[in-house]
Amino acid sequence: MNGLKTGLKPVLWSAAAFLLLIMIAVPVLNVPAFLLMMVPYVVLYATLPRGAFALHLIPVWAAATFIIGPSALLIGIFVLLPSIVMGHLYCKGAPASKVIRMVTLTLLAELMLELLMFEVILDYSLLDEIGDMIRTSINDVMNQGLLAEGWDPDYTEQLITMVIQMIPLTFIVLSFMMAVIAQYIARRALKGGELQIAAFPRAKDWRLPRVLVFYYLIAYMVKMFLSPTDESFIAVAVFNLVPLLSYVFAFQAIGFFFYIAHQRKWPRIVPILIAIPVLIFPPLSLIGVLDTVFPIRKPFTKP
């Protein structure tokens, strides 16, 4: 693992880690900064000895904490573990699918653990805070006369319940996005070095197991008999599983269009443009369901 072990590159990646931590305090820039936060950590861990990795990281955390406060240290520690997991898997030559899966699970576990720690140790309930924010916002809108007639507190509580029920899905999507972004950029940053990092399968080759359609149908039917305000474990699980699987099949639909574009020699921009409405309009994920169950690619396949 010599790659970036010497020279200016580790210093530049450390500077990138510092800038991303500082950007957390800047409105608008904080979201992209957080999504990119893992990249310099992964590159540094995969290319430096463990001691050198720590020596690069500690000054970054110290300087960022001095400038914007303890939040920099908390965020730095948060991204450290999944970055180490990804860097370690890179060093082991793990396939891209395993890297994405393990890093996503690590991030998801951290998010759930932080939610629990805030409530148990700090006696601060994020869920209660979300509820209070929604109530305050709706009351402000109501006082301005902008809400529809007949809106009452029961509707507000139903909205709060539905938002809280979707928190697990939000955590899953956020974890997956961070893992994919880090994998995409870090792999390219490490390309040409000693590490042989497997690429994620091309979009045209994406294929889901058919059993997911069975799970999706069961979850969708169960959802039809549940109340939107049901707070049981099964209800929360189903309310998150249905849209999650819908997103998964939307990506399968995108893979289907990339396959057609490959077979028909379309410009690469065409399937990319098609992907936008597929992700925006959930019903279009049905194309992914059909592509998973039936051989609908066969008519587009050249002999």
Side-chain angles (χ1 to χ4, degrees), residues 4-236:
L4 303 176
K5 193 176 293 186
T6 60
L8 187 61
K9 288 185 177 180
V11 177
L12 294 177
W13 281 111
S14 299
F18 171 75
L19 289 174
L20 289 171
L21 281 176
I22 297 299
M23 288 167 60
I24 288 294
V26 181
V28 181
L29 296 179
N30 50 9
V31 173
F34 185 71
L35 293 176
L36 294 169
M37 190 71 65
M38 285 177 53
V39 176
Y41 292 77
V42 173
V43 174
L44 289 171
Y45 185 85
T47 55
L48 291 175
R50 303 301 167 249
F53 173 71
L55 288 176
H56 276 268
L57 217 56
I58 292 173
V60 167
W61 287 356
T65 301
F66 177 77
I67 294 174
I68 66 172
S71 60
L73 181 60
L74 293 175
I75 294 172
I77 294 174
F78 173 80
V79 300
L80 177 63
L81 180 58
S83 301
I84 289 176
V85 171
M86 180 172 282
H88 178 74
L89 291 173
Y90 280 172
C91 295
K92 294 293 184 180
S97 57
K98 182 178 181 179
V99 173
I100 297 294
R101 183 173 64 252
M102 295 301 296
V103 174
T104 299
L105 291 174
T106 303
L107 285 163
L108 182 60
E110 283 191 316
L111 287 169
M112 300 301 290
L113 181 61
E114 286 195 2
L115 198 65
L116 179 63
M117 289 177 61
F118 272 111
E119 185 138 4
V120 174
I121 299 176
L122 302 178
D123 195 25
Y124 175 83
S125 174
L126 178 61
L127 304 184
D128 291 342
E129 185 67 23
I130 291 174
D132 292 341
M133 288 174 59
I134 294 175
R135 291 187 191 95
T136 301
S137 299
I138 290 180
N139 288 336
D140 291 342
V141 174
M142 186 180 295
N143 292 336
Q144 297 174 17
L146 300 177
L147 274 181
E149 292 185 10
W151 187 279
D152 59 34
D154 288 340
Y155 294 151
T156 303
E157 295 306 314
Q158 290 179 16
L159 175 62
I160 292 171
T161 300
M162 287 189 290
V163 170
I164 290 176
Q165 285 177 339
M166 298 305 289
I167 286 178
L169 175 62
T170 304
F171 281 179
I172 292 171
V173 172
L174 175 62
S175 301
F176 179 74
M177 286 180 60
M178 290 185 67
V180 169
I181 290 172
Q183 157 75 8
Y184 182 83
I185 300 177
R187 177 179 173 272
R188 279 155 179 75
L190 294 168
K191 195 173 183 180
E194 294 181 4
L195 295 177
Q196 299 299 319
I197 302 172
F200 203 72
R202 297 175 65 183
K204 69 181 183 67
D205 299 322
W206 293 346
R207 297 310 298 263
L208 293 172
R210 291 184 177 181
V211 69
L212 283 182
V213 177
F214 180 68
Y215 295 151
Y216 181 62
L217 291 175
I218 291 178
Y220 193 84
M221 288 188 292
V222 171
K223 182 183 177 183
M224 294 172 60
F225 296 98
L226 294 174
S227 168
T229 58
D230 192 339
E231 298 182 0
S232 65
F233 174 80
I234 291 182
V236 173

Side-chain angles (χ1 to χ4, degrees), residues 203-204 206 250-260 291 297:
K204 69 181 183 67
W206 293 346
F251 281 102
Q252 180 64 49
I254 293 171
F256 170 72
F257 287 113
F258 269 91
Y259 179 82
I260 296 176
D291 186 39
R297 299 188 181 198

